[in-house]
Amino acid sequence: MNQHQNIHQFKADFFKALAHPMRIRILEVLSEGDRNVNELQSVLNSEGSAVSQQLSVLRNKNVVSSIKDGTSVIYSLRDPLIKELLAVAKQIFDNHLVDAISLLETIRNEQ
């Protein structure tokens, strides 16, 4: 594999790691600050096994890091730029939403 293929594979794997609603939500919560599993469960209103499973995927893909703190494990974003990536994704979503709304208004006005 050449360097370009490696970079493309890294990007594909990175976006696969993000391709789950709970993982996105976990990253949004971690964008606000480091949390342990219990805190994440509480914020996400989800059971521990589901949260732990998604954290494991994010950790294996090097998207989040974990540090043992006594009996709990603290999770954090591995790279603070992930917060910016999520913000850009939200802007793209918002732009599509604005386009869809204006299209609907145009259709409604034409009727």
Side-chain angles (χ1 to χ4, degrees):
M1 234 196 265
N2 67 33
Q3 189 174 0
H4 290 295
Q5 288 172 315
N6 286 338
I7 291 168
H8 293 308
Q9 188 60 52
F10 169 82
K11 288 177 184 177
D13 289 344
F14 177 79
F15 282 110
K16 278 184 209 168
L18 302 183
H20 189 282
M22 184 180 283
R23 291 196 290 265
I24 295 288
R25 189 69 188 106
I26 288 170
L27 295 175
E28 288 172 343
V29 171
L30 292 177
S31 292
E32 299 163 10
D34 300 353
R35 298 270 167 46
N36 66 37
V37 177
N38 291 339
E39 291 168 330
L40 286 168
Q41 281 173 234
S42 176
V43 171
L44 299 170
N45 198 17
S46 182
E47 61 188 43
S49 61
V51 173
S52 294
Q53 182 181 7
Q54 300 310 329
L55 281 167
S56 176
V57 172
L58 292 169
R59 201 173 50 245
N60 290 337
K61 296 292 184 184
N62 293 315
V63 179
V64 300
S65 55
S66 59
I67 298 171
K68 193 110 167 106
D69 180 31
T71 58
S72 63
V73 179
I74 308 296
Y75 288 89
S76 59
L77 297 179
R78 194 166 188 94
D79 189 322
L81 286 174
I82 291 170
K83 184 175 182 173
E84 290 181 44
L85 177 68
L86 293 171
V88 168
K90 184 182 181 318
Q91 287 175 321
I92 291 168
F93 173 78
D94 290 348
N95 290 344
H96 284 287
L97 200 56
V98 167
D99 290 346
I101 289 169
S102 65
L103 178 63
L104 285 172
E105 287 173 350
T106 302
I107 291 168
R108 187 178 301 140
N109 292 336
E110 290 175 355
Q111 290 176 345

